[in-house]
Every structure is written in structure tokens, then in C-alpha cells.
């Protein structure tokens, strides 16, 4: 009995919900990363209505830097603090037109050079639950407990990364990830979660495409 | 709790020697508010505001003297005296905004006087900070939003103070010969204190429902 429960749990973690994803990029200029150069990942400002999750930004940072082909990533808070107050949510440049004036401010160009930052990647978008349904009931008593029913939900993760080249003071292009995942939770005494890790898939997909885009 | 720190800004210092007078109510700012009839949030900025402005002005100006409520400005040498105060404070919780974020609005007022006590300018700074709840508890998220609001205020002050107040002109001397207005400076923030001060603390202590979180 214990073995069959373990088997059910093992199968549940092995399975996942349904996911569809689309990753695209639009190149505007030549890119490339030399030795000693880095990128920084930033979330577009909430002053512009953006709601990119902090843990998604952290996921992208880790994914870009991981592995043998990882690229050098400067932590975003370090970048913001070193360039205070020019990359705060209110003051960060909204487009590349403001970059030349920003780089002319006292100390900014030196700080960027010292950190070795070549590209700034601005993340925009978020993950939202767009649909859900079904019902699930759980009960427990002295003799035991269990759940019965079926629930499902669909999450959409829609993100765009705008890549700015600080050497050329211009946009290098954009990379986008649009991932939709449906999770299921059937329960016959024991719930068997079939979770679509939508945001995680969007993170890995976007990071992979970003690495290819930047390194070329 | 740690005091919020302002990174050293990338800017040229303004060539003015300033004195900063921190009003008592500014240094002990506590805001208590009942949200939606059930949660009670108590936000105590404590000395964070005082430390924040002292740090900020130390980065912005050639020199800074911090005056206590009982100090006589006539005993000190400076070009301009700045007296910050809080005109208003508001915050919203995820339950109120139907989102997953805490938001804080702080309205600061910068009163600038010349070296003999004439009021040079009075400038309002509206700051905003927002923090997603995510893994942070309610209190931590609200605290982070307040810290971001203070950083927002710092950025605004750094970028706009000279344009809004012409404070660098005070390095050339007082605006006009000493006048009766100098008594207002010596008396401290009494005139300013007639306005109710709202208190906000970065150290957010959550209410009933926050404990349940």
C-alpha cells in the first residue's frame, strides 16, 4: 500500500500540465559580448505600469549566468545603487533617446565602465491566471480523509525583453516569450497535481533566447 | 530594523553649506490606520526619516550641520537652512487595490531659509513606492514600499531641488537684511507644526489579518 502511494506521488511529480510556448526575437543591430563585458537585467518601471515579478527577474539573472555558456550578469540592485539616482523607477530612461544625455552625467560613464556593463535588458510583462474552473472538496475525519473533484486553471506568461547596447547608446532588439499553461488537479481521495510551470518555462525560454541573441 | 541607506549619488555637489533642522514630529513619525474596517496597520518611521535626510544632504551639499530642536541657528555658520517635514502619508494594501502590491505615498515639504532666517522657498516633494508581496510578508512588503518611496523622494530632491528652490543662490548671502521672519526660524517648526503631521514608519507592524498571514 505504501509502495503504491509512493508510486502515485512519483507519477504526479513526473507529469505536468499542458504548455504551449512561443519565443521570438527581433534584431535591430549587431550584438556580441567580449571578455570582461556583462549584462544587467532590469524590470521596466512600475511608474510605467509594469508589474514584472521580482522572482521572474531573479530567475532570468540566474538562468543567463548558469552553465558553461553562462554570461556575466551584474546584479540589478548593484547596478541601480552604483548609478543612483539615474536608474530608479521614476528616473530610469524610458527609451534609448535619453541614453546619450544620461551617459554624459558626471560619473555615470565611469560607473558603467567599471562594472563592465555592455547591455541593459529591460523586462516587461507578467504571469496572469486567465481562466479557471472545476471544484475540489476535501474532508477529514477520525477515520481518515481525502479529496474528491477536479480543478483546472490556465496561466499566461507574456514577457518582452528590450536589449539596449550601452556602447552604441541604441537598441539592439527585443526578445519575447509567450507561454500558456494549463494545470489540472484531479482528486480521487488523493489529489494528483499536474502543474504546468508556466512562469518557469517562460523564464528558461526567454533566458535561452536572450543568451543566443546577445552572444550571437 | 536597519535604517534605509541612500547610495552616494552620481552628481556634482551643490556649492552651499547647509544646516538641517529636523522637527521633533518628523523624527518620531507614527501612522496608525484601520484598513477596510478590520486591519489595523501601525507604521513607525522612527528615526529613519531623520537619518535619510541627513545622509542625503550630506551627499548633495558641500557641508551639512544637523540642528536639534533646541539649537539656536545663530550659533552656527551656514548659507541655507533646510527644514523637512511630512505633509501627508498614505498607503494601500493588496486588499484595497485588488492587486498583489503594497504602495506608499509620502508628501514631503522642504522649507528653505537663508542664513538669517528669511524663508527662501517652500517646495513639496511627492514620492511613491511600490512593492510586490511575493514571498515577503505583509509587514516586510509595506516596509519595502516605504523605503522605495523614500528613495524616490531622494531621487526627486537630487534632480529638482536646485531648479525648484534656487538654493545655490543663498551661497551669495542672505536674500535681504534680517527681518522679523527670522524669529520664525529661531522659533523652530512651530508654524509648520500647526499642520497635522501624518506618521509613517518603515517598521510596519501589521494588524489582525497580517498576523494570520
Amino acid at each position: 500500500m505504501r509502495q503504491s502511494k509512493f508510486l502515485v506521488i512519483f507519477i504526479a511529480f513526473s507529469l505536468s500540465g499542458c504548455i504551449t510556448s512561443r519565443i521570438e526575437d527581433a534584431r535591430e543591430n549587431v550584438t556580441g559580448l567580449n571578455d570582461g563585458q556583462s549584462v544587467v537585467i532590469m524590470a521596466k518601471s512600475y511608474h510605467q505600469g509594469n508589474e514584472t515579478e521580482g522572482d521572474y527577474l531573479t530567475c532570468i539573472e540566474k538562468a543567463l549566468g548558469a552553465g558553461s555558456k553562462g554570461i556575466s550578469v551584474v546584479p540589478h540592485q548593484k547596478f541601480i545603487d552604483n548609478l543612483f539616482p539615474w536608474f530608479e523607477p521614476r528616473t530610469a530612461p524610458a527609451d534609448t533617446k535619453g541614453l546619450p544625455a544620461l551617459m554624459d552625467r558626471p560619473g555615470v560613464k565611469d560607473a558603467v565602465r567599471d562594472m563592465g556593463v555592455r547591455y541593459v535588458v529591460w523586462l516587461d510583462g507578467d504571469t496572469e491566471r486567465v481562466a479557471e474552473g472545476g471544484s475540489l472538496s476535501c474532508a477529514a475525519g477520525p477515520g481518515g480523509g481525502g479529496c474528491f473533484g477536479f480543478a483546472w486553471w490556465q496561466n499566461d506568461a507574456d514577457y518582452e525583453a528590450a536589449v539596449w547596447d550601452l556602447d552604441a547608446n541604441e537598441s539592439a532588439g527585443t526578445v519575447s516569450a509567450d507561454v500558456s499553461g494549463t494545470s489540472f488537479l484531479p482528486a480521487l481521495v488523493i489529489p494528483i497535481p499536474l502543474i504546468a510551470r508556466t512562469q518557469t518555462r517562460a523564464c528558461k525560454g526567454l533566458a535561452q533566447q536572450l543568451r543566443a541573441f546577445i552572444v550571437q | 530594523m536597519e535604517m534605509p541607506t541612500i547610495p552616494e549619488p552620481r552628481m556634482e555637489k551643490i556649492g552651499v553649506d547647509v544646516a538641517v533642522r529636523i522637527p521633533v514630529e518628523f523624527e518620531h513619525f507614527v501612522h496608525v490606520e484601520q484598513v477596510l474596517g478590520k486591519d489595523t496597520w501601525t507604521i513607525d518611521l522612527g528615526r529613519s526619516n531623520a537619518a535619510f535626510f541627513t545622509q542625503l544632504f550630506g551627499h548633495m551639499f558641500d557641508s551639512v550641520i544637523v540642528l536639534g530642536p533646541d539649537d539656536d541657528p545663530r550659533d552656527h555658520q551656514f548659507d541655507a537652512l533646510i527644514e523637512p517635514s511630512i505633509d501627508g502619508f498614505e498607503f494601500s494594501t493588496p486588499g484595497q487595490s485588488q492587486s498583489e502590491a503594497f504602495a506608499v505615498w509620502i508628501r514631503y515639504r522642504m522649507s528653505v531659509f537663508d542664513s538669517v532666517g528669511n524663508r527662501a522657498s517652500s517646495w513639496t516633494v511627492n514620492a511613491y513606492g511600490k512593492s510586490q508581496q511575493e514571498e515577503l510578508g505583509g509587514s516586510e512588503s509595506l516596509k519595502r514600499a516605504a523605503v522605495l518611496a523614500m528613495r524616490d523622494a531622494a531621487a526627486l530632491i537630487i534632480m529638482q531641488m536646485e531648479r525648484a528652490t534656487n538654493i545655490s543662490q543663498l551661497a551669495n548671502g542672505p536674500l535681504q537684511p534680517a527681518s522679523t521672519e527670522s524669529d520664525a526660524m529661531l522659533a523652530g517648526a512651530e508654524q509648520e507644526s500647526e499642520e497635522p503631521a501624518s506618521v509613517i514608519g518603515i517598521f510596519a507592524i501589521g494588524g489582525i489579518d497580517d498576523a494570520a498571514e
Side-chain angles (χ1 to χ4, degrees), chain B residues 28-48:
Chain B
H28 303 284
F29 197 70
V30 179
H31 180 83
V32 181
E33 184 174 326
Q34 194 174 34
V35 173
L36 295 178
K38 44 177 189 173
D39 299 355
T40 298
W41 293 84
T42 301
I43 306 167
D44 182 1
L45 275 178
R47 298 198 66 248
S48 301

Side-chain angles (χ1 to χ4, degrees), chain A residues 3-176:
Chain A
Q3 281 183 339
S4 61
K5 277 187 183 174
F6 176 77
L7 186 63
V8 166
I9 293 168
F10 176 77
I11 291 172
F13 276 106
S14 303
L15 298 175
S16 65
C18 302
I19 292 182
T20 59
S21 61
R22 185 174 68 193
I23 314 289
E24 296 176 330
D25 70 55
R27 183 177 293 278
E28 296 175 32
N29 281 299
V30 174
T31 56
L33 206 63
N34 300 325
D35 285 342
Q37 292 185 326
S38 306
V39 303
V40 63
I41 312 298
M42 304 273 289
K44 214 168 172 182
S45 171
Y46 50 71
H47 282 262
Q48 297 174 43
N50 185 41
E51 294 184 335
T52 300
E53 303 88 350
D55 53 3
Y56 184 79
L57 190 153
T58 304
C59 177
I60 294 287
E61 284 180 333
K62 286 182 181 171
L64 270 178
S68 57
K69 296 182 182 177
I71 59 180
S72 175
V73 179
V74 172
H76 66 279
Q77 195 59 50
K78 177 183 173 184
F79 182 79
I80 292 170
D81 286 347
N82 277 354
L83 288 171
F84 184 78
W86 306 114
F87 276 87
E88 297 295 299
R90 182 189 292 273
T91 59
D95 53 45
T96 52
K97 290 178 192 170
L99 274 181
L102 173 62
M103 298 301 273
D104 282 343
R105 292 196 181 273
V108 171
K109 189 174 270 186
D110 291 340
V112 170
R113 186 190 57 231
D114 291 344
M115 287 187 285
V117 173
R118 169 81 188 267
Y119 298 101
V120 177
V121 178
W122 293 100
L123 294 180
D124 189 4
D126 59 0
T127 299
E128 288 182 338
R129 179 157 299 181
V130 295
E132 59 187 345
S135 65
L136 196 69
S137 301
C138 298
C147 297
F148 295 92
F150 178 79
W152 65 272
W153 60 93
Q154 180 183 348
N155 287 346
D156 271 2
D158 195 358
Y159 296 94
E160 183 175 277
V163 183
W164 290 5
D165 185 341
L166 294 187
D167 278 4
N169 286 338
E170 60 187 10
S171 170
T174 56
V175 179
S176 62

Side-chain angles (χ1 to χ4, degrees), chain B residues 23-190:
Chain B
V24 173
E25 61 273 13
F26 187 81
E27 196 166 2
H28 303 284
F29 197 70
V30 179
H31 180 83
V32 181
E33 184 174 326
Q34 194 174 34
V35 173
L36 295 178
K38 44 177 189 173
D39 299 355
T40 298
W41 293 84
T42 301
I43 306 167
D44 182 1
L45 275 178
R47 298 198 66 248
S48 301
N49 260 323
F52 156 69
F53 276 99
T54 303
Q55 202 176 59
L56 173 65
F57 293 140
H59 289 314
M60 286 179 65
F61 300 104
D62 281 349
S63 71
V64 175
I65 308 165
V66 180
L67 301 180
D70 300 326
D71 289 335
D72 187 344
R74 289 176 295 191
D75 296 337
H76 302 272
Q77 290 285 332
F78 52 86
D79 299 322
L81 183 142
I82 304 172
E83 190 169 88
S85 59
I86 295 178
D87 270 6
F89 172 86
E90 292 178 27
F91 69 92
S92 72
T93 62
Q96 288 177 296
S97 60
Q98 299 300 307
S99 69
E100 294 181 1
F102 286 83
V104 169
W105 294 264
I106 308 177
R107 189 165 62 253
Y108 290 104
R109 180 175 297 280
M110 302 287 124
S111 298
V112 180
F113 301 89
D114 66 14
S115 58
V116 295
N118 301 306
R119 184 186 291 271
S121 61
S122 180
W123 174 46
T124 301
V125 179
N126 293 299
Y128 172 67
K130 183 177 173 183
S131 173
Q132 298 284 335
Q133 190 160 2
E134 296 182 13
E135 296 108 8
L136 303 176
S139 291
E140 285 299 310
S141 299
L142 185 54
K143 178 185 138 182
R144 175 162 168 74
V147 170
L148 288 172
M150 291 171 72
R151 278 183 71 126
D152 189 41
L156 275 170
I157 291 168
I158 288 168
M159 291 176 64
Q160 297 179 8
M161 183 154 201
E162 172 59 22
R163 189 172 60 199
T165 66
N166 279 327
I167 193 170
S168 62
Q169 299 300 313
L170 297 181
N172 299 328
L175 291 174
Q176 58 188 354
S179 67
T180 55
E181 278 204 58
S182 64
D183 293 333
M185 184 175 83
L186 295 172
E190 288 175 6

